Amino acid sequence: MIEKTLYTVLSQINNIALFPLVIPQEQNQPAVSYFRVKTISTNTLKGTNRRHDNGLFQIDIWALDYLRAAELSEQIIDQMG
């Protein structure tokens, strides 16, 4: 399941709280939330194949200032690459 892999990759970044869908109101920042926006089916000769579907995810970064959010975005991009 791609959500499990995404969580594993994002959880390797230090000092962030990671949540699917929403962040609790009382959560300290920085924090990251993620959710699946869309699933794009993969067509094969035998029809669609769920094992090879492509997911489109949104990752939201919550921080007290823009600089910290920008730093976190760079870390996430590096981690995903």
Side-chain angles (χ1 to χ4, degrees), residues 43-63:
N43 293 320
T44 65
L45 293 174
K46 296 181 180 181
T48 59
N49 186 344
R50 293 203 53 167
R51 292 181 56 126
H52 298 286
D53 285 349
N54 295 307
L56 178 63
F57 286 83
Q58 178 173 320
I59 299 173
D60 295 319
I61 300 169
W62 304 89

